[in-house]
Amino acid sequence: TEGEPVPRPPLRCVMYKGQRKSMIRIPEEVPTQEVVDFFTPRSEELTAEMKNLAVPRVTNHSFAEDVIAASSPARPILVQMYEDTCFLCFLMRPFINSL
């Protein structure tokens, strides 16, 4: 009938963060908690080997201690975002290792 809202199919939404991808369907109300959970930072566990490389790896959990607390104007730290599947990261790694 006239004047009644026409039902719409759920909106399909794809969320990306780094190499992660998730597709959700959004009905009338946005599933806020599902979106928040997807974008909540994740962190890998580093082995002692990875922490002791010439250019050590840093994760979300160790960033505050390994980078922020360890750096100062007299001792700056260069940070490169790195993902194993990122081709540009692969190309930059030898340069970063040479510094």
Side-chain angles (χ1 to χ4, degrees):
T1 63
E2 228 175 279
E4 289 184 26
V6 177
R8 296 179 300 184
L11 177 67
R12 197 168 73 178
C13 177
V14 181
M15 301 182 295
Y16 292 93
K17 182 166 181 164
Q19 295 296 315
R20 290 187 295 129
K21 172 182 163 183
S22 178
M23 195 274 298
I24 62 171
R25 292 192 182 276
I26 300 176
E28 294 298 316
E29 193 171 316
V30 176
T32 308
Q33 192 56 52
E34 189 174 349
V35 174
V36 169
D37 290 345
F38 179 80
F39 287 102
T40 299
R42 294 184 182 180
S43 188
E44 65 180 312
E45 293 299 320
L46 293 179
T47 63
E49 275 182 347
M50 294 171 87
K51 290 180 183 180
N52 295 320
L53 296 171
V55 177
R57 295 235 180 142
V58 176
T59 66
N60 185 53
H61 291 312
S62 66
F63 188 82
E65 180 183 340
D66 293 343
V67 177
I68 296 174
S71 66
S72 68
R75 187 172 182 261
I77 293 178
L78 173 66
V79 176
Q80 177 197 1
M81 297 297 291
Y82 181 83
E83 288 189 26
D84 289 334
T85 59
C86 170
F87 185 64
L88 182 58
C89 297
F90 169 76
L91 295 176
M92 290 291 297
R93 193 76 178 173
F95 168 71
I96 297 296
N97 286 341
S98 71
L99 296 178

